[in-house]
Amino acid sequence: ELPPSEFMQVADSTWLVLNVVSNGREAPGCQATGVTKIARSVIAPLAEHHVSVLMLSTYQTDFILVRERDLPVVIHTLAGEFDIYKEESGECVPVTSDDVSNGFLKPKPSASPMLHPVQSPQTRFCVLTVAPDTLPAIATMLIDVLFYSHSPSWDAATSSQDLDSITFFSFSLIEGYISIVMDAETQKRFPSDLLLTSSTGELWRMVRIGGQPLGFDECGIVAQIAEPLAAADISAYYISTFNFDHALVPEEGIAEVIQLLQQRQESGR
């Protein structure tokens, strides 16, 4: 419904959303370990079959966006390990490999090094949620933070090679569940009794992937970040945006994460 505008850039592809649930259900109130849970079972196999993905980790669960034209490859790749369903008129209907075209599997590309720089600003982030019925109480403040609190230029944000801090605020509303990522200083502006986070109150540090916009055709970026973190049993949230990818890891583990990612780059994987 948005009118065409020279100020709005839209990717050509149409994307579909995959959600991985356990035993057919997802407990919306439980915090998961993030993208590392599905690194080996979903993200890595898709990367091996040259499927580009966008990741969206939320307070409740993780979502994987794949291009609509890649859906046959996705189904064939994942059908061996997962029961796959699609929504039709609000109902979940089983999907099998027979439901899509055959003879299309892409050859596995040769392994290539991750050439994108990673930056770790000093900013500390919170991952939290809000009860939907309390949203009106903070709506004005949310709008102010989202659109009016800061306006850094794109060039200034991307030209720095060593970011001391980063402006990042993520708000998602999915099936009635709200998920927010904000820096610890911004969190102080909100009523503390309305923001729900983990009982430990842990803070997260960010690793931003990419020194310039990544585009949508390259695959394997998420896998190359998530796999070493999964192997080290490090929890992580992962948020893909139009320009960059962002991985959030527990604050106390940031040094180990940077070391793992540097070793990954140096090994040529």
Side-chain angles (χ1 to χ4, degrees), residues 169-227:
F169 188 95
S170 172
F171 175 90
S172 60
L173 175 61
I174 303 172
E175 295 185 330
Y177 295 108
I178 298 168
S179 179
I180 302 175
V181 175
M182 68 174 76
D183 63 85
E185 289 302 312
T186 300
Q187 184 191 19
K188 296 177 182 178
R189 299 176 53 183
F190 289 82
S192 59
D193 58 328
L194 299 183
L195 304 180
L196 307 177
T197 185
S198 65
S199 58
T200 60
E202 63 185 337
L203 295 175
W204 300 75
R205 289 279 300 277
M206 177 180 288
V207 175
R208 190 177 79 171
I209 299 95
Q212 58 185 1
L214 298 171
F216 302 100
D217 291 324
E218 186 173 359
C219 73
I221 298 175
V222 181
Q224 292 176 22
I225 296 293
E227 281 190 290

Side-chain angles (χ1 to χ4, degrees), residues 54-55 116-117 119 154 157-159 163 166 168 206-216 221 238-247:
L54 296 177
M55 277 298 310
H116 301 291
Q119 300 163 321
W154 184 88
T158 57
S159 61
L163 296 179
I166 185 172
F168 187 92
M206 177 180 288
V207 175
R208 190 177 79 171
I209 299 95
Q212 58 185 1
L214 298 171
F216 302 100
I221 298 175
Y238 200 103
I239 300 176
S240 298
T241 65
F242 195 94
N243 291 322
F244 302 102
D245 282 9
H246 308 81

Side-chain angles (χ1 to χ4, degrees), residues 17 19 21 26 28 56 58 60-61 63 87 90 92 132 172-179:
V17 180
N19 183 21
V21 298
E26 184 72 36
L56 177 61
T58 70
Q60 292 82 16
T61 187
F63 298 92
E87 286 190 9
C92 290
S172 60
L173 175 61
I174 303 172
E175 295 185 330
Y177 295 108
I178 298 168
S179 179

